[in-house]
Amino acid sequence: MLDRLDKTNKDGGIGGVLSGGMFSKNEQNSLDSHMSLSVRVDYQNEEVRFDRTLNEKLIDSLSLPPFSAMLSLADRDGNSYCTDSDIFGDTKCTVGFDDEIFIDVNASMPEDIMEGSTIEFNLRIDNIIKWDFTCDVCGSECSASLPIIDKAFTFATPECPTLPKSISKSLNYKLPVDKRDTLDSAVRLKVEGTILLTDSTGTNLFHMYLEVDAS
């Protein structure tokens, strides 16, 4: 199991990253995370920080079909927002509220993901409210309702069984954060939990721990 990372941030940042922190010891041992992803919204410094930590031993033994993926985040002049990288591309990235982001994504998967594959979200809001839902990876719409505000959202998934063998996209993006938000008026929310990808036979393919902290 990935170790608990820094719980406090001395430079005024937000929160910390836990890998499997919401599970009992037995659950942690039975379903370790391949990856931990942290997204921290820092209203004081007007920036968002992204960090990804890999469990390299588990990544090496992935049951996924052979695949590759590379992600990069840079400004208009090609200067990276990130200070580190791993096998999936850029990590340890800091982006200001007003920054324009140019995202390059290159991914390939030689084998199709078949009908019946699912992605399962087991999340907690502010460590109290459950937010659990499961969607098909392909072949149907994914629908979920956000607790507290009871806001529903739906999006379409790709058709089964054929998915693109390779994806190469460049995106131009700006953070959906209003700089006018102050420390008093900004939305305060923390979402953490796990995301599990399972194939049509019920085999667990990929397990990720996620923390989004704007608390």
Side-chain angles (χ1 to χ4, degrees):
M1 173 57 62
L2 294 174
D3 295 330
R4 183 188 298 263
L5 301 183
D6 57 305
K7 188 175 182 180
T8 59
N9 191 341
K10 297 180 181 178
D11 63 3
I14 306 295
V17 185
L18 304 177
S19 178
M22 292 164 41
F23 295 97
S24 68
K25 183 176 180 180
N26 288 337
E27 287 172 319
Q28 288 178 6
N29 290 335
S30 64
L31 197 57
D32 285 352
S33 296
H34 295 96
M35 176 191 299
S36 292
L37 177 64
S38 167
V39 180
R40 303 177 184 180
V41 181
D42 186 344
Y43 288 101
Q44 181 174 346
N45 293 311
E46 297 181 349
E47 63 186 22
V48 178
R49 295 193 291 275
F50 306 85
D51 194 9
R52 177 179 59 245
T53 305
L54 301 181
N55 186 327
E56 294 182 1
K57 291 183 179 179
L58 289 178
I59 289 292
D60 289 341
S61 61
L62 275 176
S63 299
L64 283 166
F67 78 105
S68 63
M70 188 64 63
L71 172 70
S72 66
L73 284 74
D75 63 16
R76 182 176 293 273
D77 296 324
N79 301 309
S80 179
Y81 288 114
C82 312
T83 60
D84 202 356
S85 63
D86 56 32
I87 59 174
F88 296 122
D90 287 345
T91 185
K92 299 188 184 304
C93 307
T94 301
V95 180
F97 286 1
D98 284 338
D99 289 341
E100 191 175 18
I101 311 170
F102 290 82
I103 305 172
D104 287 330
V105 180
N106 292 282
S108 64
M109 182 174 288
E111 299 180 22
D112 294 331
I113 294 179
M114 304 301 292
E115 184 176 3
S117 300
T118 61
I119 183 166
E120 177 182 343
F121 297 82
N122 293 290
L123 307 172
R124 298 295 179 271
I125 299 175
D126 291 334
N127 296 316
I128 299 174
I129 302 171
K130 289 185 178 181
W131 188 19
D132 299 340
F133 61 97
T134 301
C135 292
D136 292 329
V137 175
C138 60
S140 67
E141 289 188 335
C142 177
S143 299
S145 180
L146 182 62
I148 304 178
I149 61 174
D150 196 28
K151 181 177 178 59
F153 62 90
T154 301
F155 60 90
T157 62
E159 294 183 0
C160 293
T162 301
L163 295 178
K165 301 297 184 181
S166 62
I167 299 174
S168 181
K169 288 188 176 181
S170 294
L171 307 172
N172 178 222
Y173 190 69
K174 199 165 188 177
L175 293 176
V177 179
D178 191 342
K179 191 175 180 180
R180 294 172 296 178
D181 281 341
T182 66
L183 291 174
D184 294 328
S185 65
V187 175
R188 303 293 176 172
L189 186 68
K190 183 175 182 178
V191 179
E192 60 181 324
T194 60
I195 301 173
L196 175 64
L197 178 64
T198 304
D199 70 12
S200 57
T201 68
T203 300
N204 295 334
L205 299 178
F206 192 81
H207 184 260
M208 183 177 79
Y209 186 86
L210 171 69
E211 180 189 59
V212 179
D213 193 341
S215 58

